Amino acid sequence: MSNYTPTELQTLVKAPMMTGLSVAMVDMGIVSTAIEAAAMSKQIAGAAEKYPTNSVIQAAFSEATLKSRDLKLDKPDIKPEDVKSGAMIDQAIADINAALAVVAGKASDAEVAEYKQFIYDCGTAVAEAAGEGLFGTGSNKVSASEAAALAKFKAALGI
C-alpha cells in the first residue's frame, strides 16, 4: 500500500520524466528525439525492477501505478523560447524540488538518495541515447548542451 496520494504520485513520476524531456529538448533532432524517448521509456519501465526495495520508486513506478487511471500527467506545454532560455530546465528543477518535498519524512535517506540518482539517471540515459546532430548519428553521444543540462540537474539533486 502506498503512502502517497494520487497527486503526490504524479509529482514523483513527473520529476524524472521532465528531467529526461528537458535533456532531450536541449539538443533536439528528428531521429535522435525518438531514440531518446525510447531510452526514457526504458528507464521508467525498468525502475521498479531496478530498485525492488525502494518504497518511493515502488510506489510511483510499479506497473500497477503506471497503468493506474489515478496517475494522470498533464502534457507539458513546451515553447521553443522556454527551451532556448533555460526555463524548461528551471521548471524541471522545480518539479524535482516538489518531488523531494513529497518524499521528505516518508522515505529513508537511502531511498531518497536512490530516487535522486534515478532522476539523474533518466537524464543521463536520454543524453547517452543518441549522438549529436539532426539524425543522432554523431560520434559524440552527449552534446555540450546536454552536458550543461545534466550538470544543472546534478547540482539541484545534490549528487
Side-chain angles (χ1 to χ4, degrees):
M1 174 120 174
S2 174
N3 293 337
Y4 303 99
T5 67
T7 301
E8 288 173 329
L9 290 171
Q10 290 170 359
T11 301
L12 295 176
V13 171
K14 187 176 182 183
M17 293 187 80
M18 291 306 295
T19 299
L21 182 60
S22 295
V23 172
M25 297 301 288
V26 297
D27 186 30
M28 202 165 100
I30 295 170
V31 175
S32 63
T33 301
I35 295 168
E36 291 168 343
M40 181 69 197
S41 295
K42 185 176 178 182
Q43 285 290 113
I44 296 293
E49 188 177 325
K50 185 175 180 181
Y51 299 97
T53 61
N54 187 300
S55 68
V56 176
I57 293 173
Q58 290 300 311
F61 298 96
S62 69
E63 188 175 337
T65 301
L66 292 175
K67 289 183 176 180
S68 171
R69 295 179 192 266
D70 292 338
L71 188 64
K72 295 178 184 145
L73 295 174
D74 296 328
K75 183 178 177 186
D77 181 25
I78 301 167
K79 298 175 182 73
E81 59 269 18
D82 291 343
V83 175
K84 193 174 240 180
S85 71
M88 185 172 182
I89 290 172
D90 293 341
Q91 181 57 53
I93 290 170
D95 293 335
I96 289 168
N97 290 334
L100 295 177
V102 166
V103 299
K106 289 188 177 188
S108 70
D109 290 345
E111 289 175 318
V112 172
E114 281 184 334
Y115 176 63
K116 287 179 174 183
Q117 188 63 53
F118 169 66
I119 292 170
Y120 184 75
D121 288 349
C122 286
T124 301
V126 168
E128 293 175 350
E132 287 185 284
L134 182 63
F135 295 107
T137 58
S139 60
N140 190 13
K141 285 289 188 187
V142 180
S143 71
S145 54
E146 289 170 332
L150 288 171
K152 288 180 181 180
F153 290 127
K154 191 171 206 172
L157 289 161
I159 55 174

